[in-house]
Amino acid sequence: MIVVKRGKEPNSLLEFRKQNPEADYEDTPSNVLNDIRTQMWREQRHLCGYCMRRINSPDVERIEHCIPRHPKGEAVHDKQAALNYKWMLGVCYGNSLNRGVKPEEITCDAHRRNIELTINPYDETSVRKIKYKADGRIYSEDPEINKDVTETLNLNCEAVSLPQTRKKVLMAEKARIARKCKGKTQDAYMQELRRTYVSLVNERNLTPYCGIIISWLEDKLKGK
């Protein structure tokens, strides 16, 4: 996971709320939902907000509510919060569309259901508590966030090779940097690390599963 930077809400969503002050999320017209998906897809650089796999188009993106609409199954809830764009997240289907899939083979929002999360994808302090092991497994030293990523969201799912894919992505990036800096000074190596970090974090040139790369770069730049 990485920090999600949400922009201004789509105009169609703003107008829908103004014209329908008592509306609930289920009342949202399909054209407004399409606008929400398209904007989130672009803002998140075509990546799932949880596992960071690539989402090929807005048509196959789920609209996730970081604050669940019915956390305990209650019928009465905050309708305004359900239509608040800043709490919406674009996510993948988490392997849930495959026939015969088992619960332990599902990830992200599909595995989470209505369980409340401690991790906040929009808060840098929260997301920085996420770490990665050498084998690509995601974890946190914060017990609640660790439960979020390892159990509730199932982001170490072996069925879809999440740890293995993260490890391959990191190894490929390390190899790229090593090739580019071969025969150069340590200063040149550190400069390339900083350039890569700025490209990913500041310029938002995000790539699938780049959370593990960002974490590694931060450790290297701190001298770890």
Side-chain angles (χ1 to χ4, degrees):
M1 291 178 67
I2 62 168
V3 179
V4 173
K5 296 185 182 295
R6 188 60 71 233
K8 183 181 177 181
E9 68 180 322
N11 289 332
S12 58
L13 175 58
L14 176 62
E15 289 302 316
F16 172 68
R17 286 207 322 274
K18 286 182 177 179
Q19 295 172 12
N20 304 274
E22 297 301 318
D24 204 344
Y25 177 77
E26 285 79 7
D27 303 318
T28 312
S30 59
N31 67 299
V32 177
L33 294 175
N34 289 337
D35 288 345
I36 293 171
R37 290 191 191 95
T38 298
Q39 184 162 321
M40 290 193 302
W41 186 69
R42 290 171 177 165
E43 288 175 353
Q44 295 174 205
R45 303 300 190 266
H46 313 166
L47 303 180
C48 172
Y50 287 141
C51 72
M52 297 198 69
R53 74 180 66 184
R54 182 176 296 282
I55 298 176
N56 291 327
S57 79
D59 296 335
V60 290
E61 180 180 58
R62 286 171 65 110
I63 298 175
E64 154 78 322
H65 289 78
C66 293
I67 299 177
R69 288 176 288 150
H70 308 279
K72 298 178 181 178
E74 69 276 15
V76 179
H77 61 282
D78 188 341
K79 294 181 180 180
Q80 290 186 341
L83 286 171
N84 191 331
Y85 182 65
K86 74 175 184 179
W87 289 113
M88 296 180 187
L89 189 68
V91 300
C92 68
Y93 276 83
N95 199 37
S96 63
L97 300 182
N98 292 327
R99 181 176 298 179
V101 67
K102 300 176 182 178
E104 62 270 21
E105 297 172 342
I106 297 173
T107 69
C108 304
D109 173 45
H111 191 272
R112 173 199 179 188
R113 299 185 182 275
N114 283 322
I115 299 174
E116 294 187 75
L117 298 174
T118 298
I119 185 71
N120 181 349
Y122 308 106
D123 180 66
E124 185 173 352
T125 301
S126 180
V127 174
R128 279 183 175 273
K129 293 181 180 179
I130 291 176
K131 299 182 179 181
Y132 300 86
K133 296 183 179 180
D135 63 357
R137 299 182 75 80
I138 192 171
Y139 75 102
S140 177
E141 293 175 352
D142 181 303
E144 294 302 318
I145 292 180
N146 188 64
K147 183 177 180 181
D148 287 344
V149 297
T150 62
E151 297 180 28
T152 305
L153 297 172
N154 197 26
L155 297 184
N156 287 325
C157 181
E158 298 282 353
V160 290
S161 305
L162 287 180
Q164 298 92 326
T165 303
R166 290 190 202 103
K167 181 179 179 180
K168 288 180 181 178
V169 165
L170 178 58
M171 296 302 292
E173 183 61 13
K174 286 182 177 180
R176 182 197 68 79
I177 293 174
R179 288 194 302 271
K180 185 170 183 178
C181 298
K182 185 177 181 180
K184 298 182 179 179
T185 64
Q186 179 66 14
D187 285 345
Y189 174 72
M190 296 302 294
Q191 184 176 353
E192 177 60 20
L193 294 183
R194 286 190 288 271
R195 187 203 65 77
T196 304
Y197 184 81
V198 168
S199 177
L200 289 169
V201 177
N202 295 31
E203 299 172 359
R204 307 296 288 177
N205 294 314
L206 306 177
T207 55
Y209 309 101
C210 64
I212 192 170
I213 298 175
I214 293 172
S215 180
W216 173 73
L217 287 169
E218 288 176 343
D219 285 345
K220 296 294 289 185
L221 291 171
K222 291 176 183 176
K224 294 184 179 180

